[in-house]
Amino acid sequence: MFFLQSCLLVLLHREPGYGYSLMSGLHEFGFAVEEMDISILYRALRDLDAAELVSSTWDENSLGPKRRVYTITPLGEARLADWIHFLRQRRRQIETLEAAYDTVNTAPDTPRPLGGESHAI
């Protein structure tokens, strides 16, 4: 849920949005939106709203049915900045882990023999 909420805050950081516009925007972050249940998105938005990270209003100017438009709050902007900082730190840790692994395992597709010996079959 953290990743979904982070992506929603980034989308709302760019511009206010409503449920289905946010759903299609999630494709950019690797979500298979055609397989995603819209109720998951709305639950995440409700949680963000309850945490006062987003606010919502009804769009009275909509040509079709009224839509709830979501906007990131100042608290949401601050929390998003904190989350991005955390994610950047985590990415550096993961890259360090990968580099350490790669220095030991230079040929990842080739199994290393136990005890450093090579055995012909």
Side-chain angles (χ1 to χ4, degrees):
M1 190 68 98
F2 168 77
F3 187 68
L4 173 60
Q5 290 179 339
S6 299
C7 294
L8 290 170
L9 287 179
V10 167
L11 292 171
L12 293 171
H13 171 75
R14 292 180 187 161
E15 63 183 351
Y18 60 94
Y20 282 98
S21 72
L22 294 168
M23 178 71 98
S24 64
L26 290 173
H27 181 73
E28 172 186 348
F29 302 104
F31 286 89
V33 295
E34 60 279 352
E35 298 173 11
M36 190 172 165
D37 186 346
I38 191 77
S39 66
I40 294 169
L41 175 99
Y42 282 115
R43 189 175 94 211
L45 287 168
R46 278 194 307 276
D47 290 347
L48 289 169
D49 194 14
E52 299 181 355
L53 303 180
V54 302
S55 62
S56 64
T57 58
W58 288 104
D59 180 6
E60 301 292 335
N61 300 323
S62 174
L63 296 176
K66 288 195 284 186
R67 305 186 281 201
R68 187 172 289 277
V69 178
Y70 295 87
T71 306
I72 192 169
T73 64
L75 180 60
E77 293 281 1
R79 185 70 50 86
L80 176 59
D82 290 343
W83 288 354
I84 294 298
H85 178 74
F86 167 79
L87 290 169
R88 286 180 176 146
Q89 285 181 320
R90 186 56 48 113
R91 182 184 66 222
R92 285 190 293 274
Q93 292 171 327
I94 290 169
E95 288 170 350
T96 300
L97 175 65
E98 289 173 333
Y101 175 81
D102 290 344
T103 61
V104 174
N105 193 15
T106 56
D109 295 335
T110 307
R112 293 184 10 204
L114 294 175
E117 299 176 13
S118 177
H119 299 283
I121 297 179

